[in-house]
Amino acid sequence: METRAYLGGCLCGNIRFKATGTPGNPHTCSCENCQRHSGAQTLCWVEFPRDVVEWTGEGGMPAVYRSSDYSSRSFCPKCGSTLGAVDDEPVIALVTGSFDEQDVEELRPLSHSFEDVHPSWWKIPAAS
Ligand SMILES: [Zn+2]
Ligand SMILES: [Zn+2]
């Protein structure tokens, strides 16, 4: 299979990433951490092994905030953009809104975590 590269970054361009391979676990999440971290009621996520994600922007790695026992949230220290989460496990989760190319089937969420705590009027259609 062809190895694909996914490019993205923050609002100001200080933090840029290049991830290669296949995005894992595409999902939406409405947990309180995601809501507070982003200011949005739902975030869209994919995961990559840590060793296939390169931080290619001038700012290098994003800043992190320790948000739980197993994970830190990452963001741009210049513009504050939400970028994802860095787990203690060798996984980097990226929010899909930060990807340069949006109309990509592999970024389509296939499940919704913490669906029970998002507002009832906020409808996310299940993937078919
Ligand atoms: Zn930035
Ligand atoms: Zn969440």
Side-chain angles (χ1 to χ4, degrees), residues 39-62:
Q41 280 153 332
T42 299
L43 267 179
C44 301
W45 292 94
V46 288
E47 296 169 1
F48 289 90
R50 188 190 294 261
D51 57 4
V52 301
V53 179
E54 283 174 69
W55 300 105
T56 57
E58 212 170 90
M61 283 187 67

Side-chain angles (χ1 to χ4, degrees), residues 19 27 102:
H27 71 284
Q102 287 295 312

Side-chain angles (χ1 to χ4, degrees), residues 61-74:
M61 283 187 67
V64 289
Y65 168 75
R66 189 76 187 165
S67 56
S68 73
D69 291 346
Y70 59 90
S71 185
S72 298
R73 298 288 167 144
S74 63

Side-chain angles (χ1 to χ4, degrees), residues 6 28 30 44-45 64 77 93 95 105:
Y6 299 86
T28 52
S30 300
C44 301
W45 292 94
V64 289
V95 293
E105 186 62 28

Side-chain angles (χ1 to χ4, degrees), residues 9-119:
C10 68
L11 181 60
C12 76
N14 179 47
I15 306 288
R16 295 283 304 162
F17 62 79
K18 178 183 172 189
T20 48
T22 306
N25 190 21
H27 71 284
T28 52
C29 186
S30 300
C31 77
E32 193 178 355
N33 277 349
C34 284
Q35 291 180 337
R36 298 287 181 180
H37 178 50
S38 66
Q41 280 153 332
T42 299
L43 267 179
C44 301
W45 292 94
V46 288
E47 296 169 1
F48 289 90
R50 188 190 294 261
D51 57 4
V52 301
V53 179
E54 283 174 69
W55 300 105
T56 57
E58 212 170 90
M61 283 187 67
V64 289
Y65 168 75
R66 189 76 187 165
S67 56
S68 73
D69 291 346
Y70 59 90
S71 185
S72 298
R73 298 288 167 144
S74 63
F75 58 96
C76 173
K78 262 194 184 168
C79 69
S81 295
T82 298
L83 287 160
V86 180
D87 289 352
D88 294 349
E89 281 177 41
V91 169
I92 290 187
L94 296 168
V95 293
T96 57
S98 67
F99 284 61
D100 291 350
E101 229 186 297
Q102 287 295 312
D103 194 7
V104 176
E105 186 62 28
E106 303 91 273
L107 300 184
R108 180 181 178 175
L110 297 178
S111 63
H112 189 167
S113 302
F114 294 89
E115 196 173 7
D116 53 324
V117 295
H118 82 318

